[in-house]
Amino acid sequence: MCSSDLSGAGAAWLFTRTAGAWSQQGSKLTGGGETGAGAFGWSVALAADAGTALVGGDGDASSAGAAWTFGSVAISSPTSLVFGSETTGEPAPLLWLPVENTGSLSLVFSGAASVSGTNQSDFAIPTGDDLCNGKTLAAGVSCWIGVQFTAAGLGARTATLTLGASNAPAPVGTVTLAGTGVAPATGPAGATGATGATGAAGAARS
């Protein structure tokens, strides 16, 4: 925070810490409707879940003071989607991945989800089944992404689903996709049929 930024109007910045390094998230925060040199950023407070920040400006409104609240956007989804064992070459039933906005501000998805990894071609998001792409989710609201598995080979098959671009400050989420390819089933051999009747003898040669 810096209460003297913008000729005394003040500003604040949001940072997150990942693997011991700090990085700025988004552009600087400023107060709306400030009056004069409000000294926005003179004091700050952060909720325990880091989802809401309160920023004060003691010089606003001729030093009467004011405070502004800021929320966050966040993504929550299962870390894996498991299909189980499926016959090679046969599409498995579609599974749906829920994606929820667990922040306090709207979550906007500006891009489509994608699949990558070792067995990328075994997993697909059918056309029209990325219901998050282009969506704006209010706090606590979910969207869904449909994924289909068609095993191209035997054994374990894996890939990674990456959520589409969004305005969440956290890194874009990834989900592990897994399934197992098995050979087509073959039934036991049937019982031997009964021997047919002997045909009539042919006419004698002259």
Side-chain angles (χ1 to χ4, degrees):
M1 63 183 178
C2 180
S3 60
S4 62
D5 192 72
L6 299 173
S7 300
W13 291 261
L14 173 66
F15 288 83
T16 58
R17 184 177 175 87
T18 304
W22 289 96
S23 59
Q24 182 178 333
Q25 303 298 313
S27 56
K28 64 183 176 183
L29 307 175
T30 57
E34 290 178 272
T35 303
F40 174 89
W42 181 261
S43 58
V44 296
L46 190 64
D49 63 359
T52 304
L54 183 67
V55 182
D58 67 342
D60 191 76
S62 301
S63 296
W68 293 262
T69 58
F70 295 87
S72 66
V73 294
I75 296 174
S76 175
S77 66
T79 58
S80 63
L81 203 58
V82 180
F83 288 83
S85 297
E86 301 292 344
T87 301
T88 56
E90 296 184 7
L94 198 70
L95 291 186
W96 289 94
L97 175 76
V99 181
E100 182 183 2
N101 175 13
T102 54
S104 56
L105 296 179
S106 292
L107 171 59
V108 180
F109 280 99
S110 57
S114 60
V115 177
S116 62
T118 304
N119 304 122
Q120 172 184 347
S121 61
D122 291 39
F123 301 87
I125 302 172
T127 301
D129 286 336
D130 182 352
L131 305 183
C132 293
N133 186 17
K135 296 294 184 182
T136 297
L137 305 180
V141 176
S142 298
C143 59
W144 299 80
I145 300 174
V147 182
Q148 194 163 47
F149 172 53
T150 305
L154 301 177
R157 317 295 290 180
T158 60
T160 300
L161 181 147
T162 301
L163 300 180
S166 72
N167 64 330
V172 174
T174 59
V175 177
T176 299
L177 305 176
T180 302
V182 296
T186 53
T192 302
T195 303
T198 301
R205 295 181 64 183
S206 57

